[in-house]
Amino acid sequence: MDKFEEIFNQLMEMLEEEKKEKIEELEGDCVCPICPSYNQCAKDSDEKLFCIIGKSEPCITNERGCMCPTCPLAAKFGIGVKYNFYCTRGSEIEHRKM
Ligand code: SF4
Ligand code: SF4
């Protein structure tokens, strides 16, 4: 199990309140809001962390580049390079299962 699977499994085992707090903490490193693909709809819905949460539905539909390879969270957990565009293509876990 790699670092990403570890944090993902930890999140899945957390109670809702604890999970919410951890997600907010992780969101602090997410660079999606400065990505060219990020749009006003996603901003208004405060959507981030697509690598964990999964696709942006229905906000982000046009791929205009992806900042995941430069994201500190991605670097920390070893993701964002092989797979990215999580907002339109699904979470890291979904990619790995394909
Ligand atoms: S890897 Fe991409 S989706 Fe995940 S936190 Fe970083 S910028 Fe956001
Ligand atoms: S997942 Fe990638 S493409 Fe989508 S908003 Fe985040 S950085 Fe941009």
Side-chain angles (χ1 to χ4, degrees):
M1 188 187 303
D2 67 12
K3 281 186 179 176
F4 182 78
E5 285 167 8
E6 267 175 39
I7 186 70
F8 186 81
N9 288 344
Q10 279 172 22
L11 279 167
M12 292 304 108
E13 284 166 13
M14 284 177 186
L15 297 174
E16 277 313 306
E17 195 55 34
E18 193 188 3
K19 193 198 253 178
K20 198 169 153 245
E21 279 174 24
K22 187 65 188 174
I23 283 177
E24 278 173 13
E25 182 193 316
L26 294 171
E27 281 179 347
D29 278 338
C30 179
V31 296
C32 289
I34 58 164
C35 169
S37 299
Y38 202 76
N39 59 23
Q40 191 62 42
C41 172
K43 189 177 177 189
D44 292 344
S45 311
D46 198 24
E47 288 186 335
K48 283 178 227 147
L49 214 66
F50 305 108
C51 54
I52 292 175
I53 306 295
K55 281 183 196 173
S56 161
E57 287 172 322
C59 289
I60 303 174
T61 50
N62 289 333
E63 294 182 348
R64 298 181 176 170
C66 179
M67 302 286 288
C68 293
T70 69
C71 167
L73 181 144
K76 187 172 170 189
F77 293 109
I79 62 165
V81 178
K82 185 174 179 187
Y83 305 122
N84 43 48
F85 283 102
Y86 301 113
C87 59
T88 50
R89 302 181 190 178
S91 71
E92 176 73 15
I93 294 290
E94 286 172 289
H95 277 94
R96 290 182 188 193
K97 284 181 183 163
M98 278 177 202

